[in-house]
Amino acid sequence: MGLKECRRVQLPRLSDGRGSLSFVEGGEQIPFGIARIYYLYGVPEGVERGGHGHRELEQLIIAIYGSFEVVLDDGHARDSFLLERPDEGLYVRPMMWREVRDFSPGAVCLVLASMPYDEADYYREYDEFLSAARGES
Ligand code: TYD
């Protein structure tokens, strides 16, 4: 099942009296090369983002500031992950439906992605995603 391949990734953290530094290198902490980054910010209370799946895209999602919940669904089961640490990411494999919600005030959601933006890679309809994920189409 795809859900089991999604996992929290502990990122390196270098901390001293000057603060902390974390980093991600493609092919090291994550199993893909980084082709794009994007970030969500200024998300009002109660608003949900995501609500789609990807055919090929792999991602690492990091709560760079604040916290939010990521719900992942592989078409058979779903699980939710509270992200609240800048030194931890959530690896999301292809063919996962995701919803992102409960943003704390000022939260910033950083996403490292394996491919450039391509609308053709999206499942925007849950039913369509479900059929594909269950091998019905
Ligand atoms: P979308 O992936 O639907 O974000 P969310 O599900 O969090 O609301 O993207 C929202 C809009 O932004 C959509 O019109 C596509 C555009 N977009 C880009 O142009 N480039 C990108 O890298 C991303 C992620 C989105």
Side-chain angles (χ1 to χ4, degrees), residues 27-129:
E28 292 293 331
Q29 292 82 17
I30 50 176
F32 61 86
I34 300 164
R36 172 170 55 117
I37 68 168
Y38 66 91
Y39 34 97
L40 300 171
Y41 52 98
V43 180
E45 194 180 344
V47 167
E48 182 173 303
R49 303 295 304 238
H52 54 71
H54 287 282
R55 290 171 166 81
E56 305 271 339
L57 192 70
E58 294 175 83
Q59 296 176 309
L60 187 79
I61 304 176
I62 304 170
I64 284 293
Y65 181 81
S67 65
F68 48 82
E69 180 187 36
V70 182
V71 176
L72 297 180
D73 178 339
D74 65 5
H76 298 272
R78 48 173 57 201
D79 203 354
S80 94
F81 302 82
L82 175 66
L83 298 187
E84 55 184 349
R85 299 176 58 95
D87 63 351
E88 180 186 83
L90 177 64
Y91 169 72
V92 182
R93 55 151 272 164
M95 290 303 293
M96 301 296 303
W97 186 266
R98 85 286 318 278
E99 291 156 11
V100 190
R101 58 169 75 115
D102 288 343
F103 284 80
S104 67
V108 181
C109 170
L110 177 72
V111 183
L112 312 181
S114 63
M115 305 188 319
Y117 172 75
D118 177 9
E119 185 61 33
D121 186 62
Y122 279 75
Y123 290 101
R124 293 285 185 186
E125 301 298 329
Y126 185 68
D127 287 350
E128 189 196 356
F129 166 77

